Amino acid sequence: MIRLAVKKIGSQTVRLENPPSILSYYSIVGPKEGQGPLKDYFDLILEDDLWGQESWEKAESKIQEECIKSAINQGGLSSQDIDYLIAGDLLNQIIATAYSARQLAIPYFGLYGACSTMTESLSLGAMLIDGGFADKVACAVSSHFSTAERQFRFPLEYGNQRKMSAQWTVTGAGSTILSSIGDGPYIKYITTGKIIDPGITDVANMGGAMAPAAIDTLIHHFQDTGVDPSYYDLIISGDLGYVGKSIVIDMMKEKGYDLSKNFTDSGVEIFDKSEQDTHAGGSGCACSATVYNGYVFKEMAKGKLNRVLLMSTGALHSTLSTQQGESIPGIAHAVAVENTKE
């Protein structure tokens, strides 16, 4: 019996032999995000986060659909050129994605990784291409402040007081088109996270709930690949916010890894904490997706960043589990993106 070579290295990482190229990308954000520090990087800033729709949920679906279409167009492609769409959102039964996929008519895998879904989709899309199962894959996610508040917390009309540890769900979407050929940047390594649950039950402390999963994934990535944090120009997480970011830096230092010079978080970067009253920063699937597809990939295209480790984090809870007093499981997936293939 012939045994095929396994591409897995170490305990949780895959090294891609035929690294897929990031062919094109697109980002859409809401008005609040468009007033933040990264406003010049986003492709489309909405003036109204209902965007002409009858509900916040329909608006989110439209945002994701238009983002995917625009990313495809940016790559000089049509929807018929895309072999698979891998996408998700935060809502029950990922309805925003289901309805956008209905309009796109592309073979579809729906994902729910909460706020980790962007790097989860990039991971699976890259493995499909590296394995020879696809030529072009669209990876996308969306989130919306108003849909998330309605589902996970309180009706907006209630006007509840938010804790200082709470984060602000990003309204927007990000989409990346992966290709078997192209000039890069390339996805070279994938480190798949596992569930880490520190026992936190406070839904207003997502950063604390997800930080241990981020730490676990980072450590396994460095151990599996044999690289040091300094290898990367930038290590950027998804939506740990200020609370989670500080925990990761402190605990990684205790474990012998210095992230003080090149680590940040999308939830910290997307809003101006002092001017925009977002408390502990941004969150939501679109938090990392808009920062990666808006800021990171554009800086890589300019050559200002050459090696980046992207890591989106997710809190895998629901309103039902919260009401039953369950703790909040965390997950973090990482992909290493580099401008050179070798």
Side-chain angles (χ1 to χ4, degrees):
M1 180 182 293
I2 299 175
R3 184 179 178 86
L4 297 176
V6 177
K7 300 177 183 180
K8 185 179 179 185
I9 60 172
S11 60
Q12 291 176 217
T13 302
V14 170
R15 178 175 55 211
L16 302 181
E17 294 180 0
N18 305 293
S21 175
I22 294 173
L23 181 66
S24 57
Y25 40 86
Y26 202 83
S27 59
I28 300 176
V29 297
K32 190 178 186 74
E33 293 74 14
Q35 296 169 356
L38 300 180
K39 60 182 181 294
D40 293 334
Y41 288 94
F42 301 127
D43 295 296
L44 177 61
I45 299 172
L46 303 179
E47 295 181 2
D48 171 15
D49 58 11
L50 264 177
W51 209 9
Q53 300 302 296
E54 298 174 350
S55 70
W56 308 117
E57 289 76 16
K58 287 183 178 180
E60 181 178 344
S61 189
K62 179 182 178 181
I63 291 168
Q64 188 188 120
E65 179 189 341
E66 293 303 320
C67 189
I68 295 167
K69 286 179 179 178
S70 297
I72 292 171
N73 290 337
Q74 292 274 53
L77 305 172
S78 69
S79 59
Q80 288 74 32
D81 297 315
I82 306 300
D83 297 302
Y84 296 103
L85 167 64
I86 306 178
D89 60 83
L90 289 176
L91 303 181
N92 288 338
Q93 286 74 51
I94 53 173
I95 56 169
T97 304
Y99 290 121
S100 71
R102 177 182 65 180
Q103 299 301 112
L104 294 164
I106 299 170
Y108 161 66
F109 289 115
L111 296 181
Y112 187 84
C115 303
S116 71
T117 305
M118 190 67 235
T119 47
E120 184 179 9
S121 66
L122 290 172
S123 298
L124 295 173
M127 286 192 277
L128 279 172
I129 292 174
D130 181 68
F133 300 103
D135 182 42
K136 303 285 191 301
V137 176
C139 305
V141 302
S142 64
S143 59
H144 195 295
F145 174 78
S146 298
T147 66
E149 288 296 306
R150 173 146 57 192
Q151 175 166 304
F152 289 100
R153 285 172 281 273
F154 299 96
L156 294 179
E157 297 84 355
Y158 182 65
N160 65 297
Q161 183 71 33
R162 298 168 63 243
K163 292 183 178 181
M164 293 307 295
S165 60
Q167 294 168 246
W168 190 280
T169 304
V170 166
T171 296
S175 181
T176 310
I177 308 302
L178 303 180
S179 173
S180 61
I181 59 173
D183 299 324
Y186 305 93
I187 295 179
K188 299 179 72 171
Y189 291 94
I190 296 163
T191 302
T192 304
K194 57 180 183 285
I195 295 288
I196 305 292
D197 189 343
I200 291 174
T201 59
D202 182 2
V203 293
N205 186 13
M206 294 290 104
M210 295 183 291
I215 293 163
D216 186 79
T217 296
L218 286 172
I219 289 173
H220 282 92
H221 177 80
F222 297 137
Q223 290 177 344
D224 292 348
T225 60
V227 304
D228 186 83
S230 61
Y231 176 80
Y232 293 104
D233 300 320
L234 175 67
I235 300 170
I236 183 166
S237 54
D239 61 331
L240 294 170
Y242 287 92
V243 174
K245 178 187 174 183
S246 63
I247 293 172
V248 168
I249 290 175
D250 291 344
M251 293 190 69
M252 288 294 288
K253 186 175 182 180
E254 291 179 4
K255 296 179 183 296
Y257 297 94
D258 182 8
L259 301 182
S260 61
K261 297 181 178 63
N262 59 348
F263 172 67
T264 192
D265 181 76
S266 302
V268 170
E269 300 297 329
I270 195 166
F271 293 122
D272 185 319
K273 184 179 182 181
S274 61
E275 297 293 329
Q276 295 187 282
D277 189 28
T278 52
H279 291 14
S283 66
C285 296
C287 185
S288 63
T290 56
V291 174
Y292 298 166
N293 289 284
Y295 169 73
V296 175
F297 295 155
K298 288 179 180 178
E299 290 295 283
M300 294 190 80
K302 298 174 187 175
K304 293 184 177 180
L305 296 172
N306 291 297
R307 298 169 176 169
V308 179
L309 184 63
L310 309 176
M311 179 182 63
S312 297
T313 53
L316 303 178
H317 72 295
S318 71
T319 50
L320 182 62
S321 65
T322 298
Q323 289 165 0
Q324 293 178 347
E326 267 284 3
S327 57
I328 303 170
I331 190 76
H333 304 297
V335 294
V337 183
E338 299 188 23
N339 274 339
T340 58
K341 205 168 188 177
E342 301 302 325

